[in-house]
Amino acid sequence: MSVLRPMDKLPGLNTATILLVGTEDALLQQLADSMLKEDCASELKVHLANSLPLPSSVTRPRIDLIVFVINLHSKHSLRNVEESLHHVDATFFLGKVSFLVTGDRRLP
């Protein structure tokens, strides 16, 4: 298990890989499905993870963007993201990390 670094692997031609990290499996899958439905000139790959670090035994592509999904109604969700941030290299935070917060308020 290691720290994710943006330049660990060379970028693929016309390919982008997004890593969604969060504890809400159904929400992550729904977000991934909606992203993959969009028409895109490049090939988009979406990987899901409950937390970081990722297992080092798994061969994975270069990660171009990490999206941390936080549910405001779950302390576990926030704690999970806080712990996962320790496994991301600081250079990833220069335009390669995004935070998506859910559960802010419920519509009637």
Side-chain angles (χ1 to χ4, degrees):
M1 296 187 207
S2 62
V3 172
L4 283 176
R5 290 178 171 64
M7 300 307 277
D8 277 348
K9 298 182 179 201
L10 294 174
L13 185 62
N14 293 329
T15 303
T17 303
I18 298 173
L19 176 64
L20 301 177
V21 180
T23 57
E24 309 284 332
D25 291 335
L27 179 65
L28 292 181
Q29 188 61 54
Q30 184 180 15
L31 180 59
D33 291 342
S34 66
M35 292 169 78
L36 292 171
K37 285 181 186 175
E38 291 297 317
D39 190 26
C40 184
S42 301
E43 180 184 359
L44 179 64
K45 297 177 182 177
V46 181
H47 292 266
L48 310 178
N50 288 330
S51 63
L52 296 179
L54 297 173
S56 59
S57 61
V58 176
T59 57
R60 61 180 174 268
R62 170 191 156 115
I63 305 294
D64 297 299
L65 175 69
I66 302 173
V67 179
F68 291 100
V69 181
I70 305 167
N71 182 348
L72 289 179
H73 296 290
S74 169
K75 287 182 182 178
H76 173 65
S77 176
L78 180 59
R79 197 170 318 115
N80 180 55
V81 168
E82 288 175 337
E83 292 171 6
S84 293
L85 288 173
H86 296 288
H87 302 284
V88 179
D89 187 66
T91 56
F92 240 110
F93 292 96
L94 301 173
K96 297 178 189 278
V97 172
S98 177
F99 294 90
L100 174 65
V101 178
T102 65
D104 181 23
R105 63 180 128 159
R106 303 279 181 198
L107 296 175

